[in-house]
């Protein structure tokens, strides 16, 4: 099973991708998590990516395409994978197609988690992230057991630098301009499925499972 999670920042891609990965026993590949891990580790890639991320802009395609092409060829991806946050531009989608064609494969589904901009602003305001293990919480919709402490690993939760309201607005503009065209791209490819992302997390997951089947 090879799938892509599409959707605006805060639509619930990460939340659902983690559940899908667990249910279908496939790796969850989040380019945002990869960049944040690199920033934390002080790598050259992390330093390059940080400036763009903090400004709410996309990291240039050339910094992300090869990275994903390499990742999906690793052994743990043999039975499939779920991409979260990639592709985000048409050139990235084309690069993914090229990489897959080379290994005789193709994507099965692109799942668009549809959430209007108004809801996004509230969601992002309440998001709390664990930069150690990548878990994500929401102060109202998915609160950790102990305030500001990660249930999974016990480390402190933070508000992501790019989740401040001004940056969220910028990211939504970038989404509409550069990422939304992918809905058309994958509709034409015949693999787009849209789910209503305003439902609660369990309902959205049930809708996704209904699409993917067993
Ligand atoms: P969200 O979960 O809110 O959609 P991500 O964690 O996926 O955000 O991404 C955070 C930031 O990392 C993006 O705003 C962007 O700067 C950068 N980024 C992540 N994935 C990509 C990508 N595929 N192409 C370009 N930039 C990316
Ligand atoms: P994305 O990866 O698309 O940026 P996340 O999965 O990180 O989105 O979700 C953004 C925020 O909204 C998080 O705080 C998350 O806990 C919360 N969230 C995710 N799905 C839902 C939902 N269906 N209803 C309410 N809140 C949600
Ligand atoms: Zn954690």
């Amino acid at each position: 099973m090879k799938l892509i999670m599409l959707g605006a920042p805060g639509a619930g891609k990460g939340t659902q991708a983690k559940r899908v990965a667990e249910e279908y026993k496939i790796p969850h590949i989040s380019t945002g998590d990869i960049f944040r891990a690199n920033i934390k580790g002080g790598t050259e890639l992390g330093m390059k990516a940080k400036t763009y991320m903090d400004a709410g802009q996309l990291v240039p395609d050339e910094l992300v395409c090869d990275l994903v092409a390499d990742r999906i060829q690793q052994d743990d991806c043999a039975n499939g994978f779920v991409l979260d946050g990639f592709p985000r531009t048409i050139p990235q989608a084309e690069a993914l197609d090229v990489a897959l064609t080379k290994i005789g494969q193709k994507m099965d589904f692109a799942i668009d988690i549809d959430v209007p901009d108004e809801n996004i602003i509230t969601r992002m305001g309440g998001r709390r992230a664990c930069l150690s293990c990548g878990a994500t919480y929401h102060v109202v919709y998915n609160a950790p057991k102990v305030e500001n402490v990660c249930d999974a690993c016990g480390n402190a939760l933070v508000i992501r630098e790019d989740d401040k309201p001004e940056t969220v607005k910028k990211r939504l503009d970038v989404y509409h301009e550069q990422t939304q065209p992918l809905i058309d791209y994958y509709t034409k490819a015949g693999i787009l499925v849209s789910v209503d992302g305003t439902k609660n997390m369990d309902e959205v997951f049930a809708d996704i499972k209904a699409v993917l089947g067993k």
Side-chain angles (χ1 to χ4, degrees), residues 130 132-133 135 150 152-153:
C130 173
S132 296
C133 76
C150 179
C153 76

Side-chain angles (χ1 to χ4, degrees), residues 13-15 34 49 76 80 84-85 100 112 119 144 151 192 211:
K13 300 181 296 297
T15 301
I34 294 172
D76 63 335
D84 162 15
L100 285 168
D112 177 44
N119 304 42
D151 291 351
L192 188 96
V211 171

